[in-house]
Amino acid sequence: MKILVVGSGGREHALAWKIGRSAKVEKIYCAPGNAGMQGIAECVDISATDIDGLLAFAVAEKIDLTVVGPESSLVKGIVDAFEARNLRIFGPSQRAAILEGSKVFTKEFLIKYGIPTASFKAFRKIKEAKKYLQTCSLPLVVKADGLAAGKGVIVAATMKEAMDAVDLIMKDNAFGAAGDTIIIEDCLVGEEASFLAFTDGKTIRALPTSQDHKAIFDGDKGPNTGGMGAYSPAPVVTPAMTEYVIDKILQPTVEGMAAEGRPYKGILYAGLMIDGDKINVLEFNCRFGDPEAQPLLMRIESDIVEVFEACIDGTLDQVEIRVDPRPTVCVVMASAGYPGAYATGKVIKGLKKAAQLEGVEVFHAGTRRVGGRVVTSGGRVLGITAIGADLAEAIARAYHGVDRIQFPGCYFRRDIGGKALKRMAGAGNRALVGNVMGSDSDLPVMQVAADLLD
């Protein structure tokens, strides 16, 4: 089979890496791809949102299956365009992708179908939004309705922060047309987790649980990013919670979308807030998360191409998702200044040394090749992803990889996986972390583990 992967980030690199392990695959193309993907695929210079260009390429090259990474392509209707030409493509239609494309639609959908979520109001005018704010309790959350690359959510602890958030989104147009409408909703408390599942519109096959780290700084401080790291599984999600999410959130969503005339096929990603035994939906995404895809795809043992095809053909009930029981961790290395302004073109060193480590994969995100060198080309540059016998070992391996890579202005969080370690903490775990981190590391990496547990 010839496979086309649409996108250029760490998620798409991980998808191409996993697809390349299928016995069904003869050749992989990536559009537009990145420097890391060039080692496993042929990269073609077509934007992920150039639907006509991607369609023409798929027809000309007789692509057997297209796998879409970014939400922007899905919301723009790439699946509809490909299916109109009888091309096989994995992902939801444009009408179904509205679950991510419009937060207002999703909130109204959740309320209609009795799926737990925070109460909210939507506004198209600044004056009305600010008037409503004065009646609200703090903290609260202000969200841009449309796609904002994971950055259109602002948690406001004070009234000034809330008013400024409204201005930033609606007056300053920080997220463009995505902010023409905003949502103001109650601020839920608890611990966030990501719950992803494959669906063919009827059957649901859940992936392992995972947890993203959205904030730029350690301790979940600072502005939101597209994601600074992730791990799987997420111990905050118990087996009982998994059943609840499938039965009370995902199944009603799939059935509700069908009832709305928007049948949903592909990956359904629920962002959850967990507070004790209470679970609420923060948002839906219509694709693999980034960086959640990296640790999740490392754990999936099934032939991923067979799963994609089953979702397309409506035969997912005949497929089981086999999962490696070992945990995985991804640490994102970013450019200084991200998620704000940042410089690009910085030479990256140490990629080969990191990739040679046992249990470590280096997934590229914002990279490109210039004169034989790999340089930075985005805010999130790399996702160092590792698997281990336990979470402590996976964290240690990921940070061993991070420690071997350098580029000017490199920034990364030092507490990825810390929430899970603390949840599992005990004398035995503390000793285990010390043993693992001290095995072949230096002091900075050892300090990471100590910081995570303290």
Short mmCIF file of all heavy atoms in Angstrom, two decimals, residues 21 46 58 113 125 128 132 152 181 185 193 198 220 230 236 252 264 268 280 308 314 339 382 390 408 412 422 433:
data_model
loop_
_atom_site.label_atom_id
_atom_site.label_comp_id
_atom_site.label_asym_id
_atom_site.label_seq_id
_atom_site.Cartn_x
_atom_site.Cartn_y
_atom_site.Cartn_z
N ARG A 21 5.67 0.38 10.38
CA ARG A 21 5.83 -0.95 10.97
C ARG A 21 4.77 -1.94 10.49
O ARG A 21 4.79 -3.10 10.90
CB ARG A 21 5.79 -0.83 12.51
CG ARG A 21 7.13 -0.38 13.06
CD ARG A 21 7.04 0.36 14.37
NE ARG A 21 8.39 0.57 14.89
CZ ARG A 21 9.26 1.44 14.39
NH1 ARG A 21 8.93 2.18 13.36
NH2 ARG A 21 10.48 1.57 14.91
N ILE A 46 3.51 20.14 0.04
CA ILE A 46 2.11 20.54 -0.09
C ILE A 46 1.59 20.83 1.31
O ILE A 46 1.73 20.01 2.22
CB ILE A 46 1.25 19.43 -0.74
CG1 ILE A 46 1.84 18.98 -2.07
CG2 ILE A 46 -0.19 19.92 -0.93
CD1 ILE A 46 1.11 17.80 -2.69
N ALA A 58 -2.74 12.75 -4.39
CA ALA A 58 -3.24 11.41 -4.07
C ALA A 58 -3.75 10.68 -5.29
O ALA A 58 -3.53 9.48 -5.46
CB ALA A 58 -4.33 11.51 -3.01
N TYR A 113 -27.40 16.21 24.94
CA TYR A 113 -27.34 14.76 25.11
C TYR A 113 -26.97 14.35 26.54
O TYR A 113 -26.66 13.18 26.78
CB TYR A 113 -26.40 14.15 24.09
CG TYR A 113 -27.02 14.18 22.69
CD1 TYR A 113 -26.74 15.22 21.82
CD2 TYR A 113 -27.91 13.19 22.30
CE1 TYR A 113 -27.33 15.27 20.56
CE2 TYR A 113 -28.50 13.23 21.04
CZ TYR A 113 -28.21 14.27 20.18
OH TYR A 113 -28.81 14.32 18.95
N LYS A 125 -20.58 39.63 20.99
CA LYS A 125 -20.31 41.06 21.18
C LYS A 125 -19.54 41.28 22.48
O LYS A 125 -19.87 40.70 23.51
CB LYS A 125 -21.62 41.85 21.20
CG LYS A 125 -22.37 41.80 19.86
CD LYS A 125 -23.62 42.65 19.91
CE LYS A 125 -24.34 42.65 18.56
NZ LYS A 125 -25.58 43.47 18.61
N GLU A 128 -21.58 42.74 25.55
CA GLU A 128 -22.44 41.77 26.23
C GLU A 128 -21.62 40.78 27.05
O GLU A 128 -22.02 40.38 28.15
CB GLU A 128 -23.31 41.04 25.21
CG GLU A 128 -24.34 41.94 24.53
CD GLU A 128 -25.15 41.19 23.50
OE1 GLU A 128 -24.91 39.97 23.31
OE2 GLU A 128 -26.02 41.82 22.86
N TYR A 132 -21.81 40.30 31.16
CA TYR A 132 -22.06 39.01 31.79
C TYR A 132 -20.96 38.66 32.80
O TYR A 132 -21.23 38.10 33.87
CB TYR A 132 -22.15 37.92 30.73
CG TYR A 132 -22.26 36.52 31.29
CD1 TYR A 132 -23.42 36.08 31.90
CD2 TYR A 132 -21.18 35.63 31.21
CE1 TYR A 132 -23.52 34.80 32.42
CE2 TYR A 132 -21.27 34.35 31.73
CZ TYR A 132 -22.43 33.94 32.33
OH TYR A 132 -22.52 32.68 32.85
N GLY A 152 -6.32 28.85 22.55
CA GLY A 152 -7.46 29.76 22.67
C GLY A 152 -8.28 29.60 23.93
O GLY A 152 -9.46 29.96 23.95
N THR A 181 -16.62 34.48 18.00
CA THR A 181 -17.53 34.09 19.07
C THR A 181 -16.69 33.53 20.21
O THR A 181 -15.70 32.84 19.98
CB THR A 181 -18.53 33.01 18.59
OG1 THR A 181 -19.30 33.52 17.50
CG2 THR A 181 -19.48 32.61 19.72
N GLU A 185 -17.22 30.14 30.57
CA GLU A 185 -17.76 28.99 31.30
C GLU A 185 -17.16 28.89 32.70
O GLU A 185 -16.11 29.47 33.00
CB GLU A 185 -17.53 27.70 30.52
CG GLU A 185 -16.10 27.26 30.40
CD GLU A 185 -15.96 25.94 29.65
OE1 GLU A 185 -16.84 25.60 28.85
OE2 GLU A 185 -14.96 25.24 29.89
N ALA A 193 -7.17 14.78 31.99
CA ALA A 193 -6.69 13.57 31.34
C ALA A 193 -7.24 13.54 29.92
O ALA A 193 -8.27 14.14 29.62
CB ALA A 193 -7.12 12.32 32.11
N PHE A 198 -10.77 4.96 18.92
CA PHE A 198 -11.14 4.78 17.52
C PHE A 198 -12.63 4.52 17.44
O PHE A 198 -13.21 3.89 18.34
CB PHE A 198 -10.40 3.57 16.91
CG PHE A 198 -8.93 3.76 16.72
CD1 PHE A 198 -8.02 3.19 17.59
CD2 PHE A 198 -8.45 4.50 15.64
CE1 PHE A 198 -6.66 3.34 17.41
CE2 PHE A 198 -7.08 4.66 15.45
CZ PHE A 198 -6.19 4.08 16.33
N ASP A 220 2.48 23.38 35.99
CA ASP A 220 1.30 23.84 35.23
C ASP A 220 1.09 25.33 35.39
O ASP A 220 -0.06 25.81 35.51
CB ASP A 220 0.05 23.06 35.64
CG ASP A 220 0.12 21.60 35.26
OD1 ASP A 220 0.78 21.29 34.25
OD2 ASP A 220 -0.45 20.76 35.98
N ALA A 230 3.64 14.53 27.50
CA ALA A 230 2.52 13.65 27.82
C ALA A 230 3.05 12.31 28.26
O ALA A 230 4.21 11.96 27.99
CB ALA A 230 1.60 13.49 26.61
N VAL A 236 -4.64 8.68 37.08
CA VAL A 236 -5.82 9.36 37.61
C VAL A 236 -7.11 8.73 37.07
O VAL A 236 -8.16 8.84 37.69
CB VAL A 236 -5.77 10.87 37.26
CG1 VAL A 236 -5.90 11.10 35.76
CG2 VAL A 236 -6.85 11.64 38.02
N PRO A 252 -22.61 7.97 23.93
CA PRO A 252 -23.65 8.96 23.62
C PRO A 252 -23.22 9.98 22.58
O PRO A 252 -24.05 10.47 21.81
CB PRO A 252 -23.89 9.64 24.99
CG PRO A 252 -23.45 8.65 25.99
CD PRO A 252 -22.29 7.93 25.37
N TYR A 264 -19.81 10.00 12.77
CA TYR A 264 -18.43 10.27 13.14
C TYR A 264 -17.57 9.02 12.98
O TYR A 264 -17.85 7.99 13.59
CB TYR A 264 -18.35 10.76 14.59
CG TYR A 264 -17.02 11.35 14.96
CD1 TYR A 264 -16.86 12.73 15.04
CD2 TYR A 264 -15.92 10.55 15.20
CE1 TYR A 264 -15.62 13.28 15.35
CE2 TYR A 264 -14.69 11.09 15.52
CZ TYR A 264 -14.54 12.45 15.59
OH TYR A 264 -13.33 13.00 15.89
N LEU A 268 -11.78 9.90 18.18
CA LEU A 268 -12.56 10.80 19.01
C LEU A 268 -11.78 11.00 20.31
O LEU A 268 -11.50 10.03 21.02
CB LEU A 268 -13.94 10.22 19.30
CG LEU A 268 -14.88 11.08 20.16
CD1 LEU A 268 -15.11 12.44 19.52
CD2 LEU A 268 -16.21 10.36 20.37
N ASN A 280 -15.99 15.54 33.95
CA ASN A 280 -16.62 16.46 33.01
C ASN A 280 -15.81 16.56 31.73
O ASN A 280 -14.58 16.40 31.75
CB ASN A 280 -16.72 17.86 33.63
CG ASN A 280 -17.86 17.98 34.62
OD1 ASN A 280 -19.02 18.14 34.22
ND2 ASN A 280 -17.55 17.90 35.90
N PHE A 308 -7.07 1.57 11.00
CA PHE A 308 -7.57 2.66 10.17
C PHE A 308 -8.60 2.14 9.16
O PHE A 308 -9.67 2.74 8.98
CB PHE A 308 -6.41 3.33 9.41
CG PHE A 308 -5.44 4.09 10.27
CD1 PHE A 308 -4.12 4.25 9.87
CD2 PHE A 308 -5.84 4.66 11.47
CE1 PHE A 308 -3.22 4.95 10.65
CE2 PHE A 308 -4.94 5.36 12.27
CZ PHE A 308 -3.63 5.52 11.84
N GLY A 314 -16.27 0.33 8.60
CA GLY A 314 -17.35 0.01 9.54
C GLY A 314 -17.22 -1.37 10.14
O GLY A 314 -18.22 -1.98 10.54
N PRO A 339 4.94 29.92 24.06
CA PRO A 339 4.03 30.00 22.91
C PRO A 339 3.90 31.40 22.32
O PRO A 339 3.00 31.64 21.49
CB PRO A 339 2.70 29.55 23.53
CG PRO A 339 2.77 30.03 24.93
CD PRO A 339 4.20 29.89 25.34
N LEU A 382 10.86 19.24 19.07
CA LEU A 382 11.06 17.79 19.15
C LEU A 382 10.19 17.22 20.27
O LEU A 382 9.86 17.91 21.24
CB LEU A 382 12.53 17.46 19.44
CG LEU A 382 13.58 17.96 18.46
CD1 LEU A 382 14.96 17.85 19.09
CD2 LEU A 382 13.52 17.16 17.16
N ASP A 390 8.64 0.61 33.89
CA ASP A 390 7.69 1.32 34.72
C ASP A 390 7.80 2.81 34.39
O ASP A 390 8.63 3.22 33.58
CB ASP A 390 7.94 1.05 36.21
CG ASP A 390 9.39 1.28 36.61
OD1 ASP A 390 9.99 2.27 36.12
OD2 ASP A 390 9.92 0.49 37.40
N PRO A 408 20.34 26.39 20.46
CA PRO A 408 20.28 27.67 21.16
C PRO A 408 18.85 28.03 21.55
O PRO A 408 17.94 27.97 20.71
CB PRO A 408 20.84 28.67 20.13
CG PRO A 408 21.75 27.84 19.27
CD PRO A 408 21.07 26.50 19.16
N PHE A 412 12.45 23.21 27.86
CA PHE A 412 11.55 22.09 28.10
C PHE A 412 11.15 22.07 29.56
O PHE A 412 11.88 22.58 30.42
CB PHE A 412 12.21 20.76 27.71
CG PHE A 412 13.50 20.47 28.43
CD1 PHE A 412 13.53 19.77 29.63
CD2 PHE A 412 14.71 20.92 27.89
CE1 PHE A 412 14.71 19.52 30.28
CE2 PHE A 412 15.91 20.67 28.54
CZ PHE A 412 15.91 19.97 29.75
N LYS A 422 3.78 11.23 41.65
CA LYS A 422 3.29 11.63 42.97
C LYS A 422 2.07 10.79 43.37
O LYS A 422 1.92 10.43 44.54
CB LYS A 422 2.96 13.11 42.98
CG LYS A 422 4.20 14.00 42.93
CD LYS A 422 3.83 15.47 42.90
CE LYS A 422 5.08 16.33 42.84
NZ LYS A 422 4.77 17.78 42.77
N VAL A 433 13.02 5.17 41.53
CA VAL A 433 13.43 6.31 40.71
C VAL A 433 14.90 6.60 40.90
O VAL A 433 15.64 6.84 39.95
CB VAL A 433 12.58 7.56 41.07
CG1 VAL A 433 13.12 8.78 40.36
CG2 VAL A 433 11.13 7.33 40.67
#
